[in-house]
Amino acid sequence: MINFRNSTILCCLLILIASSCSCYSEVLISVSPKTLVKSGDSVTIRWSGVESPSKLDWLGIYSPADSSHDNFIGYVFLSSSPGWEYGSGSISIPLVNLRSAYQFRIFRWSEEEVDDTRMDDDHNPLPGTAHVLAESEEVGFETGRGPEQVHLSLTGQDGEMRVMFVTHDGKESFVRYGLARKNLDQVAGTRVGRYEREHMCGAPANQSIGWRDPGYMHDGVMVNLKDGRKYFYQVGSDTRGWSNIYSFVSPDRNSKETIAFLFGDMGTSTPYNTFLRTQEESNSTIRWIIRDIQAVGDKPAMISHVGDISYARGYSWLWDTFFNQIEPIASMVPYHVCIGNHEYDWPTQPWRPDWAVPIYKQDSGGECGVPYSLRFNMPGNSSEPNGAIAPIGGKD
């Protein structure tokens, strides 16, 4: 016998559930290629089946691939793709090797869901993650291709050149160098440094939203260099692969000419939106310096980047982006830096001049100079003491 009363209640419950459910038809997403060779290589994300497309529908970029929805490293609106109005499209994005896999997710976001309490650095609302429509397969980088983020600096000693680079595991790596591209007959070992999440002194640097594994920083010194000569070098190992071959011109003690590029506050550029405003204009700076270095020819030169380096401010993948962006110039000429408020400042820092307290406050985003001090090694003592427990870099 049918119980009409119970059937009526069940029917009402089903109607209530259906009316409150944010249900969408299946959205298809694909990525190609699934394996990239090096930083700067692009992945293409394609999608179809987005019903009633909105200008606020967006693509989230995640690394590691298992990051929670709110912990994206960046996002792009689907409306940046031609034909998005028909529910399908594609976007190509160059990626930086963060030593972990990427994943891409499509979200539906409406104007009614804009949250004025979740803003980026420019006071634009961050996209909502309540309605995920699709998640891609993972995208990674080939192993055995050698280190990245190669950059040079002087040591303060005649006949020397320092080179630093990043690996994912910190295993033994070397620098081999010489006066001929096909005869890298000298070898230098490297020491390894690293910082951890607990070394950061505040948010977002020590939170899941900002922290990403920074890899291992290798530091080697090429010695017994002849004055004013062009040297070739590469970094890595036989077991884990070697980098490309780079070149530089060694300093000349007898030269009466000094060629230097001086600037500050450059930052870095990303091909996506993120929690901070990134500096698209930095791309022009790099292009101009490459042009001028090539015009200089085989003469020694150097770069002095005076403070406010990457503007990462607690979002660690921006350091990786910065070093990959400067590698074309920093692998050719010594790249020298000094610390700025956007690397150092935090209320607990020991160096706090009275004039800076009401102005800068938390400008480092909780980094407190730690990434700066481990990723660079400048001649002498170039780093201010900090309030974190990580070792201070900047001196031998």
Side-chain angles (χ1 to χ4, degrees), residues 273-291:
N273 302 304
T274 187
F275 298 95
L276 302 175
R277 187 189 78 83
T278 57
Q279 294 72 35
E280 185 178 356
E281 56 272 22
S282 63
N283 292 318
S284 297
T285 302
I286 298 296
R287 286 195 299 269
W288 292 334
I289 294 176
I290 290 174
R291 177 200 63 190

Side-chain angles (χ1 to χ4, degrees), residues 289-301:
I289 294 176
I290 290 174
R291 177 200 63 190
D292 291 346
I293 290 175
Q294 291 171 343
V296 165
D298 291 341
K299 294 182 180 180

Side-chain angles (χ1 to χ4, degrees), residues 313-334:
R313 300 179 64 189
Y315 296 97
S316 65
W317 63 89
L318 294 179
W319 278 110
D320 293 283
T321 303
F322 170 81
F323 276 103
N324 278 282
Q325 185 178 3
I326 69 167
E327 187 182 87
I329 58 175
S331 60
M332 287 195 294
V333 299

Side-chain angles (χ1 to χ4, degrees), residues 167 169-173 190-194 216-219:
T167 66
D169 58 8
K171 299 298 183 182
E172 188 175 34
S173 297
T190 63
R191 63 180 185 178
V192 183
R194 177 179 167 84
Y216 293 81
M217 295 88 204
H218 293 253
D219 185 334

